[in-house]
Amino acid sequence: MPVPTTAPTTESLTTWLAERIALYLTRRPAEIDPDVPLAEYGLDSVAALSLCGDIEDDFDLVIEPTAAWDYPTVHALAGHLMAEFAADTAQGGGA
């Protein structure tokens, strides 16, 4: 997936995260409730590390692999990523 040309929104990140997590868990994205802890779906450390790599590749944003546990739902993780984008932009970074 190419780096987005516009800044992501919470909604677009929520969709992206649900799609990516569904891929790792061999589920349909519609099965991923954004308010259910990812651990309840069986997300493991390997998938969490892969997810962080995908975030870096697709959004040019480096996050700690523990983010999936620190922000345990799709909504919480999307909110964290939005805060990271805002901080990165404020520091003059970004894609």
Side-chain angles (χ1 to χ4, degrees):
M1 181 179 274
V3 174
T5 55
T6 59
T9 63
T10 301
E11 182 178 331
S12 70
L13 282 173
T14 298
T15 299
W16 185 91
L17 287 166
E19 289 172 352
R20 192 55 49 123
I21 290 163
L23 177 70
Y24 293 138
L25 301 177
T26 59
R27 295 176 179 250
R28 293 186 332 265
E31 294 178 50
I32 306 299
D33 183 324
D35 295 312
V36 171
L38 299 174
E40 288 188 25
Y41 290 114
L43 188 77
D44 62 14
S45 58
V46 173
L49 186 60
S50 297
L51 179 63
C52 291
D54 288 345
I55 290 167
E56 183 175 350
D57 290 346
D58 288 7
F59 299 103
D60 196 28
L61 184 67
V62 178
I63 63 167
E64 293 297 318
T66 58
W69 284 268
D70 295 339
Y71 306 94
T73 67
V74 169
H75 274 154
L77 189 53
H80 172 65
L81 292 176
M82 288 302 295
E84 290 294 313
F85 284 121
D88 192 48
T89 299
Q91 294 174 2

